[in-house]
Amino acid sequence: MGIKEMEPAMQRKMLTIVMGLASLLIVLVNGEASLPFDHQKLTSDGHYLDQMQKMQAFKHSLLTRRQLATPPTISSSPAPAPQATNQPPGSRPSVYEVTTYGADPTGKLDSTEALLRAITDAFNGPSEGFLMKGIKNLGGAHINLQGGNYLISKPLRLPAAGAGNLKISGGTLTASDDFPTDGYLIDLSASSSSSSSYNYEYITMKDLMLDCNFRGGGISVINSLRTSIDNCYISHFSTEGILVQNGHETYIRNSFLGQHITAGGDPGERNFSGTAINLMGNDNAVTDVVIFSAAIGVMVSGQANTLSGVHCYNKATGFGGTGIYLKLPSLTQTRIVNCYLDYTGIVAEDPTQLTISSSFFLGDAFILLKSINGLAEGINIVDNMFAGSDKGVAIVQLDQSKGPVQENRSGCGGQE
């Protein structure tokens, strides 16, 4: 056969291959098994069946490669969270699920040691550099209480100072009958010293219910920086629901505190004791918090603190209760904004640079300015609402039983 005679045959074969590939591409795009071409044109070549078999084999190999290259579909059912103790060093996320340490989520057995093991593992887990000098960054380690109720017989503390970026969340802690009466369920005080000027930084406690069982307090934050207490319910404390001492920038928000669980009008109200929140540090904020039972709602003895959206009906003034007590003579520097004092009022000792505004006082609740050293400066009491019994109770009162206010030092502005 000459070269010229071979050319038409070769052209027909090439045409058949090209059309077969075109058919394959259309099948892959449209996802159909049928061929869109006229079979009569293809069957004119005797090699049609052989070519189709080759094309089908080629298509199968492409589909197989495509399936191998496609990542597996994520299942809609949640997979078990990886346990931090079983992860290789440096892996993430560092979620420490307390039941894997033996904690009893039913609250029947003492879970103290199991919880402390989880806390120790989180503290000793992978770190990612430092926050403040001497405070290692735990990288967002999360101690997950998994929605359980855990009985504890001693405070939960970190094993040493000098750590940050840690969260404890998602469950209930209940003090046992032998819990120390001077302890706190969660205690952020240092059990050992560190090279940092602060014990801890950026510790978050969120979505917790703390039942102090009338033995001690709920949370103590000692000499710590940028601590967050969010969406917590703290009850049955005998000392303080939350204690903040030294350090600064502790933010308490969206939380509920009460020594007794009540919604007002409790027959035992005159016997309420303890302090819901005690701020003994600077630059802290209490925002959107309800205090429903305690002798004192918020005690402030540190400078430059802010209270906003706080509703106090902890104990009526007539029973000896105080909603907000500012006990820092001559260094008040406190802003109380948009709060609700419900049958309980505000007491400020030697107030200096004090603002009380846009707040509501119900049931003859009033503001008492108490002279200790005769000082009263930079006071702004403006844009508040008062509702009482129309029995002549003064809305702003001055107590000079320990000495008169020095007139040349006083400076009450915008008094209502």
Side-chain angles (χ1 to χ4, degrees):
M1 180 182 295
I3 294 176
K4 293 183 179 181
E5 294 177 351
M6 290 177 63
E7 287 179 355
M10 289 296 293
Q11 290 175 355
R12 285 195 300 271
K13 289 182 180 181
M14 290 300 295
L15 178 62
T16 302
I17 293 172
V18 169
M19 294 184 69
L21 287 173
S23 174
L24 173 62
L25 290 175
I26 293 173
V27 169
L28 286 175
V29 171
N30 295 332
E32 298 175 356
S34 59
L35 296 175
F37 298 104
D38 187 351
H39 286 202
Q40 295 298 324
K41 294 179 180 178
L42 293 175
T43 53
S44 61
D45 192 313
H47 298 284
Y48 168 74
L49 182 59
D50 181 58
Q51 293 296 334
M52 285 298 98
Q53 289 175 346
K54 290 181 180 179
M55 290 302 102
Q56 288 174 357
F58 181 54
K59 172 184 174 182
H60 178 72
S61 67
L62 287 177
L63 290 175
T64 302
R65 292 173 187 171
R66 182 181 179 186
Q67 290 170 353
L68 291 174
T70 303
T73 303
I74 298 175
S75 173
S76 59
S77 60
Q83 305 306 314
T85 52
N86 296 327
Q87 294 179 7
S91 63
R92 281 291 184 264
S94 291
V95 179
Y96 300 81
E97 296 188 338
V98 297
T99 57
T100 64
Y101 292 84
D104 174 21
T106 68
K108 295 179 181 178
L109 302 176
D110 191 328
S111 295
T112 307
E113 297 304 324
L115 294 173
L116 288 174
R117 285 195 295 272
I119 292 171
T120 300
D121 271 5
F123 182 87
N124 294 326
S127 61
E128 301 176 354
F130 288 84
L131 299 169
M132 288 287 289
K133 181 180 178 181
I135 297 181
K136 65 179 181 179
N137 180 4
L138 298 179
H142 179 196
I143 299 171
N144 185 2
L145 299 183
Q146 301 174 268
N149 185 347
Y150 303 95
L151 185 69
I152 61 174
S153 55
K154 63 182 180 182
L156 301 180
R157 303 174 71 183
L158 292 174
N165 197 3
L166 169 72
K167 179 169 73 172
I168 303 172
S169 72
T172 299
L173 299 175
T174 302
S176 66
D177 292 337
D178 58 349
F179 190 90
T181 55
D182 60 348
Y184 294 82
L185 294 179
I186 299 176
D187 187 353
L188 294 184
S189 62
S191 56
S192 64
S193 62
S194 73
S195 59
S196 173
S197 56
Y198 298 98
N199 293 335
Y200 306 104
E201 180 182 0
Y202 190 33
I203 304 294
T204 299
M205 289 157 280
K206 186 175 182 181
D207 303 334
L208 297 173
M209 184 168 186
L210 305 181
D211 184 347
C212 304
N213 193 24
F214 300 107
R215 300 187 65 84
I219 299 173
S220 71
V221 181
I222 310 299
N223 194 32
S224 296
L225 180 64
R226 292 184 268 273
T227 304
S228 178
I229 300 172
D230 189 4
N231 193 35
C232 291
Y233 188 121
I234 304 175
S235 65
H236 301 145
F237 48 86
S238 60
T239 53
E240 291 119 342
I242 299 173
L243 168 65
V244 179
Q245 186 174 13
N246 300 326
H248 59 120
E249 298 169 12
T250 292
Y251 275 49
I252 304 168
R253 55 183 175 263
N254 305 323
S255 294
F256 306 88
L257 296 95
Q259 185 180 65
H260 299 265
I261 297 179
T262 179
D266 193 285
E269 182 174 342
R270 65 176 61 250
N271 298 317
F272 291 171
S273 63
T275 300
I277 299 175
N278 191 357
L279 300 179
M280 301 175 68
N282 302 341
D283 307 334
N284 306 296
V286 180
T287 306
D288 298 332
V289 168
V290 175
I291 301 171
F292 51 86
S293 60
I296 299 174
V298 183
M299 173 73 81
V300 181
S301 56
Q303 298 171 247
N305 292 289
T306 301
L307 281 65
S308 175
V310 178
H311 180 192
C312 294
Y313 61 102
N314 47 287
K315 185 175 183 177
T317 301
F319 293 147
T322 304
I324 299 172
Y325 201 121
L326 308 178
K327 194 176 182 64
L328 187 66
S330 75
L331 287 173
T332 312
Q333 297 178 330
T334 300
R335 290 144 292 163
I336 301 173
V337 181
N338 193 32
C339 291
Y340 179 9
L341 284 300
D342 193 344
Y343 283 81
T344 187
I346 297 173
V347 176
E349 296 185 354
D350 278 354
T352 302
Q353 294 184 321
L354 168 64
T355 293
I356 302 172
S357 67
S358 304
S359 295
F360 178 45
F361 296 78
L362 178 66
D364 288 329
F366 57 86
I367 300 166
L368 177 64
L369 307 179
K370 192 171 184 177
S371 173
I372 302 298
N373 299 309
L375 302 179
E377 292 184 313
I379 304 169
N380 292 281
I381 302 174
V382 296
D383 298 330
N384 297 293
M385 297 173 58
F386 293 82
S389 59
D390 293 328
K391 294 182 179 179
V393 178
I395 58 178
V396 179
Q397 303 180 19
L398 180 62
D399 179 357
Q400 301 184 86
S401 61
K402 293 189 176 182
V405 173
Q406 301 175 20
E407 293 184 5
N408 61 335
R409 298 289 303 277
S410 64
C412 296
Q415 180 170 323
E416 297 173 324

